[in-house]
Amino acid sequence: MRMRSQPGSPSGPTSDPRRHERRADPDPTSSMSAADRMGARAARGLPLALLLLLVLGTPKAGVRAEEGLDFPEYDGVDRVANVNMKNYKSVFKKHEVLALLYHEPPGDDKASQRQFEMEELILELAAQVLEDKGVGFGLVDSEKDAAVAKKLGLTEEDSIYVFKGDEVIEYDGELSADTLVEFLLDVLEDPVELIEGERELQAFENIEDEIKLIGYFKNKDSEHYKAYEDAAEEFHPYIPFFATFDSKVAKKLTLKLNEIDFYEAFMEEPVTIPDKPNSEEEIVRFVEEHRRSTLRKLKPESMYETWEDDMDGIHIVAFAEEADPDGYEFLEILKSVAQENTDNPDLSIIWIDPDDFPLLVPYWEKTFDIDLSAPQIGVVNVTDADSIWMEMDDEEDLPSTEELEDWLEDVLEGEINTEDDDEDEDDD
């Protein structure tokens, strides 16, 4: 995911074997037109009015917000630099963090020109908001600026590369101003967060929808803590790393000195990384081997990274609104199934809360032919978006844990697959 290098060094960044390749978007209908691919990077194909809402927010019509609730409005100042071989070193020197959009040249047609303008406007607003934080933004044209792209190791068009020190992070979220700003604020934070008391411990324990690690070390000068900190940088800010130097906190977590616990998403009990004390390489290798959780949530800031990590070209996808009673109940069933089957390496379920992706709901309902006002679970082929969904005898009667486990077992054994629907249509 990251490349280690110093921007502007003679060699420049080189490819990292751990870095994943982007394979398919959450709307993996590559044969469809851009207008049909709702939710694609930079919200391509969305009407201009919707794109402006995404960028500028939705202040109350006709009423100026009271002080303290002013949504940022683009002030017209150009902050996004066109980065090339002549200026890239000076651009890097100006900013603690630099986010570069590596893009293909915009087409000559009006739609392509407007699309690129919207992408640039998103970056301009984010640059305005983060100006005082030392975060800069730039554009790199894959044709005109091919030399600097090669120098910096930019390889994938329509991707944002974030440079911080000697780390390069590929942003794998949706291109909207608020999500991008939130992500970059996380990048500015330290890769390891310290747990120093009861309240911070409670906050740590309340994190359940993402992977997390925590280690117990003597102090910040410990060589084992430094190895842990270096490993954390490899996954920052996608995976949170925590540490404590407090023996009381460690005792509550049943951690021994120099021991590291790895928590899979939605799992109550951790797995201890073996053979403490661990080197940076051992920690990185363990996280890489265990980072695909049995149940994982699709999040705006990492949606593409999650969607690209498919299981032999398919995803088991569950839709459930956590704020809805039925959705909450179904999510609890999913958690129970995941906890009981956490040792099955072939099982991984992506949970999507439709409330997190309101603009994608109509697309998903049309593409998958489902009603997202009720919980759903199905199998999606990431190549052509073909899918098949679990039939529930009674819309008001959700499947039990046992019924869902039986259905998932049939999926994993190949008895239920996306080709079943095609065969039924052929018979018709």
Side-chain angles (χ1 to χ4, degrees):
M1 181 176 298
R2 288 175 175 76
M3 304 173 287
R4 281 190 181 274
S5 71
Q6 184 67 38
S9 63
S11 61
T14 55
S15 61
D16 187 323
R18 286 195 305 273
R19 191 170 184 177
H20 67 269
E21 292 295 328
R22 183 163 287 118
R23 294 186 295 275
D25 287 345
D27 50 338
T29 53
S30 56
S31 61
M32 299 176 68
S33 67
D36 292 329
R37 299 181 64 206
M38 288 189 59
R41 206 152 290 157
R44 292 182 174 179
L46 287 174
L48 176 60
L50 280 178
L51 282 167
L52 288 172
L53 288 177
L54 281 174
V55 176
L56 301 177
T58 55
K60 188 174 180 182
V63 179
R64 182 171 178 79
E66 296 294 333
E67 291 300 323
L69 270 184
D70 282 340
F71 277 90
E73 297 179 1
Y74 179 46
D75 59 10
V77 178
D78 292 334
R79 296 176 176 84
V80 178
N82 290 304
V83 179
N84 52 51
M85 282 299 293
K86 292 182 178 179
N87 69 0
Y88 82 95
K89 290 185 179 180
S90 63
V91 173
F92 272 100
K93 288 179 181 178
K94 290 179 182 178
H95 307 287
E96 178 184 350
V97 173
L98 182 65
L100 297 181
L101 173 60
Y102 180 54
H103 64 90
E104 60 184 353
D108 296 330
D109 59 288
K110 184 177 181 180
S112 297
Q113 293 287 336
R114 181 164 289 179
Q115 171 185 304
F116 183 71
E117 290 171 2
M118 292 303 100
E119 293 176 355
E120 190 171 8
L121 184 56
I122 289 171
L123 297 186
E124 287 287 4
L125 183 61
Q128 176 182 322
V129 172
L130 294 174
E131 186 174 25
D132 294 339
K133 299 288 187 180
V135 180
F137 291 79
L139 298 169
V140 179
D141 189 298
S142 61
E143 290 187 6
K144 291 192 301 182
D145 306 316
V148 74
K150 183 178 180 181
K151 182 77 173 177
L152 299 175
L154 312 184
T155 58
E156 190 169 351
E157 293 178 343
D158 297 324
S159 290
I160 291 180
Y161 293 84
V162 181
F163 293 78
K164 181 186 179 185
D166 65 347
E167 294 289 330
V168 182
I169 307 165
E170 187 174 354
Y171 174 65
D172 277 318
E174 65 176 334
L175 186 49
S176 65
D178 54 351
T179 304
L180 182 56
V181 167
E182 182 180 5
F183 178 84
L184 291 170
L185 288 173
D186 287 341
V187 169
L188 290 171
E189 298 290 334
D190 293 332
V192 178
E193 184 172 345
L194 297 181
I195 304 297
E196 299 175 333
E198 185 64 36
R199 291 185 179 180
E200 291 177 350
L201 177 59
Q202 184 62 52
F204 166 80
E205 292 175 338
N206 287 341
I207 299 172
E208 70 162 4
D209 62 358
E210 59 185 342
I211 292 170
K212 60 185 179 182
L213 291 88
I214 187 165
Y216 172 40
F217 306 97
K218 184 177 181 180
N219 52 47
K220 281 190 174 183
D221 296 325
S222 163
E223 63 176 311
H224 307 306
Y225 173 74
K226 291 185 182 299
Y228 182 74
E229 192 175 35
D230 288 342
E233 289 180 354
E234 293 294 317
F235 301 99
H236 182 65
Y238 288 108
I239 297 178
F241 279 62
F242 298 85
T244 186
F245 309 132
D246 188 324
S247 60
K248 294 180 180 178
V249 172
K251 185 176 181 180
K252 290 182 179 179
L253 293 168
T254 66
L255 278 171
K256 298 177 182 178
L257 188 63
N258 298 323
E259 195 168 65
I260 303 168
D261 276 354
F262 174 94
Y263 288 78
E264 183 181 334
F266 300 106
M267 298 296 155
E268 296 177 357
E269 298 299 325
V271 176
T272 300
I273 298 181
D275 303 323
K276 70 177 181 72
N278 305 108
S279 67
E280 175 190 352
E281 292 75 17
E282 289 173 336
I283 299 168
V284 169
R285 184 167 59 250
F286 186 91
V287 174
E288 290 286 6
E289 291 175 355
H290 295 81
R291 67 182 302 170
R292 180 192 288 149
S293 297
T294 309
L295 178 63
R296 44 192 173 151
K297 185 179 183 182
L298 193 73
K299 297 185 174 185
E301 67 272 17
S302 58
M303 57 190 291
Y304 294 102
E305 180 186 41
T306 301
W307 194 259
E308 289 150 10
D309 186 27
D310 57 81
M311 304 282 284
D312 297 324
I314 69 165
H315 278 306
I316 300 173
V317 178
F319 288 97
E321 292 183 27
E322 189 173 15
D324 175 78
D326 285 342
Y328 179 82
E329 181 182 351
F330 190 56
L331 179 58
E332 291 301 306
I333 294 171
L334 290 172
K335 291 179 186 179
S336 177
V337 169
Q339 290 165 2
E340 292 181 14
N341 294 273
T342 185
D343 294 328
N344 187 343
D346 297 323
L347 179 61
S348 184
I349 304 167
I350 292 181
W351 163 45
I352 301 177
D353 190 329
D355 286 346
D356 293 337
F357 303 93
L359 289 178
L360 274 170
V361 169
Y363 164 80
W364 280 325
E365 289 188 325
K366 179 180 179 181
T367 302
F368 300 143
D369 192 24
I370 54 176
D371 177 10
L372 292 183
S373 66
Q376 305 283 352
I377 186 167
V379 181
V380 176
N381 186 314
V382 301
T383 303
D384 57 11
D386 198 9
S387 63
I388 186 169
W389 300 85
M390 182 179 186
E391 294 183 5
M392 301 183 188
D393 296 333
D394 186 343
E395 292 184 358
E396 297 182 358
D397 185 18
L398 296 173
S400 65
T401 299
E402 293 75 18
E403 290 171 335
L404 185 55
E405 283 184 329
D406 289 343
W407 184 85
L408 290 169
E409 184 176 343
D410 289 341
V411 170
L412 296 180
E413 291 179 354
E415 296 179 14
I416 296 175
N417 59 71
T418 57
E419 303 303 318
D420 292 344
D421 274 353
D422 296 339
E423 293 174 2
D424 292 341
E425 290 175 6
D426 292 341
D427 292 341
D428 294 340

